Amino acid sequence: MPEMPDGRSTDEWIRAGTLEELKARGMVVVRGGACPLLVVHHRDGFFALDNRCPHLGFPLHRGSIEDGILTCHWHHARFDLVSGGTFDLWADDVPTAPVELRGDGALWVRRRTSYADGDAHWGNRLREGLQHDIGLVLAKAVLGLGAGRTDHRALVRQGVLFGVHNRDGWGVGLTIATALGNLVPTLPEEERYLALFHGLRRIAADCDGVPPRRDRQPLAVAGARRVPLLGRWLRHWAQVRHRDGAERTLLTAIDGGASPSDLAALLLTAATDRVFADGGHTLDFINKAFECLDIVGWQEAAAILPTVVPQLVAARGGEELNAWRHPLDLVRLCEAASAALPDLLATGRAERGTWRSHTSLARQLLADDPEVIIAALAEAMRAGATAADLGRSLAYAAALRVAWFGTANEHADWEAAHHAFTYCNALHQLLKRVTAEQPVELESPELLRGVIHGALRLYLIRFLNVPPARLPGEANDRLDDLPCDAEALRTAFLAALDRQGSVRDAGRLVARYLTHDHPADRLITTLAHAVLREDADFHTYQMLEAGVRQHREWGESDEGRHILIAVARYLAAHSPTERAQLQTAMVARRLSFGEALHETEDGEAIQP
């Protein structure tokens, strides 16, 4: 191996010409180890940098240098010539390389570049991307920190902690990040990268320009107060809309060592003191806060759980809305049904664990008579249905409301069906969490009020299924005009979502795929890709994640197939979008591969 005069290998260094040659030319480009290197002479100094602008890869040698500042002429990003540091945060820093003048007057440049802040660079850029809401910087930081190859929880944790401290209350960004964080372990590398990028980007957007959170403290001597007392306090503060009291009570429960199931029961009970609070969002956000802790670690409970309190205390319930009062007083019906819960649960105690009529109950919950719906719930409880059983049936019924959604409705009506489904999924997950170790609902029947609220919400939106859309593959729709091959069906599904008005086609393609017993996990990856390539809205991320979770409850069954059909139809109704964020993510990825974005397909440079 050839050596330089000091014994170092020339494989690590490149001869860039003589100093006199560089002075004459001002700058020269040489081939580095992973990128072209720009070697510059300026004001009696010599410097070397990656020749690619970190913003979009334009050749920096086509820029200009003045007073120690290198300017890229493509978007006018400016960089310190010595350190490579950017003056424009959206552009990122340029990595630099050492340059040495040898005894024979030759300049040698190290092949490999590095950042001035070394190994901390991508962590620093992640923080700056979050703080300044810069999508390209976030995308590059996610790649630089190993998205798709390393444990995703550290990235989600950093984004979530930024979000809870820099926004006053739980928001859509944290919900999206948690939903995508739940999906990441099941996705291939490319989709993992997009999921993490979208989650962090939405947290940054949520925090941009809003007041940060101001922390409250738990009450002293927390262990002296038992959970039932704290639960009564929390319900009182929520009812009178006293945020400080509610937050300090919740923090006291956390500080006193309340278990995750106890905390979930406290918040579930307080939230369902109001009927279908805040259109279902209150319960959904509470559930997502708990799922977020499953990802980032329960040691962050005191930072994360109190963020749901502002919405908890401010939410309006159905009791305040005309639709729940007229022409039928559904609130009074809820109250009567809730009062009957202790006796119903006591009657069914001996049969608990043996009830299996989930599908039958779900169909009954879609009746056109609220009294019939309440009677069906009562009979299930008398027959031994558990809280988790009721939640599972309710969530499937809500999925059918989406699967049967008639496209003659206004487009905005999709959200009424969607909100019911995500509420019912959240309720199901919370009920499973609360009752995982013991049937707490037997001692606290009020935990099941949310089931009654969800069931009557499904009654209120029954008009969305008049007439019901026909499930693909049923009646005379045999799907024989569609291909059988799994890959062809997935490709056709994505192509359908490239055009508007493809709700029916999307549902039929998914039904065809599943009726041929193709692997559901590959289809779920395709559904995820269909969302992650779009500039998806908040509800689309919710629908995808809730649908995947409920499909796992039912597996390879008719019910599981109906749930994924519902997801596919909803996604098709909300596609395509501009896909600007996908462009940003792909630019970052191409830059990480060293591609020259400024060149045409025939290799000629594009003029700025």
Side-chain angles (χ1 to χ4, degrees):
M1 182 180 294
E3 295 183 349
M4 294 176 62
D6 60 1
R8 288 175 293 173
S9 168
T10 54
D11 285 349
E12 300 176 10
W13 294 77
I14 308 163
R15 190 178 186 278
T18 68
L19 177 59
E20 293 306 315
E21 291 170 342
L22 183 62
K23 286 181 177 180
R25 298 177 61 181
M27 61 179 67
V28 64
V29 179
V30 298
R31 184 178 297 276
C35 63
L37 298 173
L38 174 62
V39 186
V40 175
H41 179 268
H42 180 68
R43 291 189 173 179
D44 296 327
F46 37 85
F47 316 94
L49 311 89
D50 187 331
N51 191 42
R52 301 168 303 170
C53 177
H55 179 219
L56 289 179
F58 194 71
L60 289 176
H61 76 268
R62 296 179 60 180
S64 58
I65 300 171
E66 183 176 352
D67 200 21
I69 297 175
L70 170 61
T71 300
C72 175
H73 287 185
W74 193 252
H75 293 94
H76 302 285
R78 293 151 294 186
F79 308 94
D80 169 30
L81 191 60
V82 177
S83 68
T86 184
F87 295 96
D88 304 286
L89 294 181
W90 45 264
D92 200 3
D93 297 339
V94 183
T96 62
V99 187
E100 293 185 358
L101 178 62
R102 309 308 300 173
D104 60 355
L107 289 169
W108 289 78
V109 184
R110 193 174 184 88
R111 289 180 181 272
R112 302 291 177 183
T113 60
S114 60
Y115 290 98
D117 50 0
D119 293 341
H121 175 75
W122 292 118
N124 292 338
R125 296 306 280 154
L126 179 64
R127 285 189 293 274
E128 288 186 335
L130 288 167
Q131 290 167 352
H132 300 280
D133 188 18
I134 309 173
L136 184 60
V137 170
L138 282 171
K140 292 170 69 177
V142 169
L143 288 168
L145 292 169
R149 302 183 302 278
T150 59
D151 189 343
H152 68 288
R153 290 174 293 185
L155 270 174
V156 175
R157 182 177 186 274
Q158 189 164 347
V160 164
L161 292 181
F162 175 86
V164 298
H165 291 301
N166 289 277
R167 186 183 190 280
D168 191 20
W170 187 272
V172 298
L174 290 168
T175 298
I176 291 170
T178 301
L180 292 176
N182 288 337
L183 291 173
V184 160
T186 68
L187 299 177
E189 181 177 334
E190 178 70 15
E191 312 308 329
R192 286 166 65 96
Y193 158 55
L194 290 174
L196 291 167
F197 162 62
H198 280 299
L200 293 171
R201 177 185 65 85
R202 292 302 297 261
I203 288 175
D206 234 12
C207 297
D208 189 30
V210 302
R213 175 177 172 76
R214 291 182 293 175
D215 292 333
R216 279 88 174 160
Q217 298 300 316
L219 300 170
V221 200
R225 298 173 177 85
R226 298 176 65 83
V227 171
L229 173 63
L230 295 173
R232 293 195 298 273
W233 286 0
L234 182 63
R235 294 176 70 178
H236 171 72
W237 298 134
Q239 280 291 302
V240 300
R241 305 188 187 280
H242 185 11
R243 173 181 172 177
D244 289 340
E247 284 202 30
R248 295 202 74 186
T249 298
L250 181 58
L251 284 165
T252 302
I254 296 168
D255 193 51
S259 69
S261 60
D262 284 339
L263 294 169
L266 289 178
L267 285 165
L268 173 57
T269 304
T272 54
D273 276 338
R274 294 192 173 97
V275 176
F276 203 67
D278 198 22
H281 282 121
T282 299
L283 204 66
D284 187 59
F285 284 8
I286 288 171
N287 177 59
K288 277 293 173 283
F290 280 92
E291 291 179 357
C292 181
L293 287 169
D294 291 337
I295 298 172
V296 306
W298 278 88
Q299 71 276 9
E300 304 298 345
I304 291 172
L305 288 184
T307 63
V308 303
V309 170
Q311 186 171 31
L312 173 68
V313 301
R316 295 182 67 192
E319 63 274 13
E320 302 176 72
L321 303 176
N322 182 67
W324 285 83
R325 294 289 192 180
H326 301 283
L328 297 176
D329 193 342
L330 298 180
V331 174
R332 182 169 295 179
L333 185 58
C334 286
E335 292 170 347
S338 297
L341 287 172
D343 290 341
L344 292 171
L345 292 170
T347 302
R349 184 186 294 265
E351 303 297 326
R352 290 179 65 83
T354 63
W355 186 85
R356 295 291 184 273
S357 302
H358 298 87
T359 302
S360 175
L361 174 60
R363 298 283 180 163
Q364 292 173 292
L365 295 179
L366 297 173
D368 289 336
D369 184 340
E371 297 282 0
V372 171
I373 293 170
I374 296 301
L377 286 173
E379 178 56 32
M381 283 183 267
R382 277 193 293 265
T386 66
D389 288 330
L390 298 173
R392 185 184 186 201
S393 292
L394 182 65
Y396 174 54
L400 287 176
R401 281 284 188 238
V402 182
W404 291 342
F405 183 92
T407 53
N409 292 300
E410 288 189 291
H411 188 271
D413 286 333
W414 278 102
E415 305 322 325
H418 156 268
H419 284 141
F421 177 55
T422 52
Y423 167 91
C424 293
N425 170 67
L427 177 64
H428 182 204
Q429 304 312 316
L430 284 170
L431 289 174
K432 288 200 301 180
R433 187 183 297 274
V434 170
T435 61
E437 297 179 358
Q438 55 182 330
V440 180
E441 69 271 27
L442 296 178
E443 287 71 40
S444 303
E446 65 269 17
L447 289 168
L448 295 181
R449 292 176 303 177
V451 175
I452 298 169
H453 301 165
L456 291 184
R457 179 58 184 171
L458 294 182
Y459 163 77
L460 277 174
I461 62 172
R462 65 196 182 283
F463 68 90
L464 299 176
N465 301 148
V466 179
R470 185 171 57 187
L471 285 172
E474 297 186 356
N476 295 323
D477 186 13
R478 307 317 307 167
L479 310 175
D480 293 336
D481 57 315
L482 299 176
C484 298
D485 178 71
E487 184 175 354
L489 287 165
R490 294 194 303 271
T491 300
F493 174 79
L494 292 173
L497 267 63
D498 282 332
R499 58 183 185 272
Q500 292 182 336
S502 61
V503 171
R504 180 174 180 271
D505 292 343
R508 297 182 77 242
L509 287 162
V510 166
R512 180 72 161 179
Y513 183 96
L514 293 172
T515 53
H516 277 271
D517 296 325
H518 295 310
D521 58 343
R522 297 290 300 276
L523 175 62
I524 288 170
T525 295
T526 301
L527 295 174
H529 178 70
V531 172
L532 295 171
R533 69 179 181 172
E534 303 290 348
D535 295 339
D537 64 9
F538 166 49
H539 296 142
T540 304
Y541 293 109
Q542 283 183 300
M543 188 69 196
L544 171 68
E545 190 263 345
V548 170
R549 189 177 286 274
Q550 286 302 317
H551 175 265
R552 290 174 184 153
E553 293 284 339
W554 294 90
E556 306 300 322
S557 64
D558 287 343
E559 294 82 4
R561 176 166 55 88
H562 297 159
I563 290 167
L564 290 187
I565 288 171
V567 173
R569 298 183 79 244
Y570 185 91
L571 300 189
H574 296 80
S575 298
T577 63
E578 291 184 359
R579 301 179 184 171
Q581 295 305 319
L582 179 66
Q583 173 78 0
T584 297
M586 291 301 100
V587 163
R589 192 164 183 82
R590 291 177 65 188
L591 287 172
S592 74
F593 289 152
E595 295 183 26
L597 275 65
H598 59 281
E599 291 182 353
T600 61
E601 291 182 358
D602 59 8
E604 294 183 0
I606 298 173
Q607 297 299 317

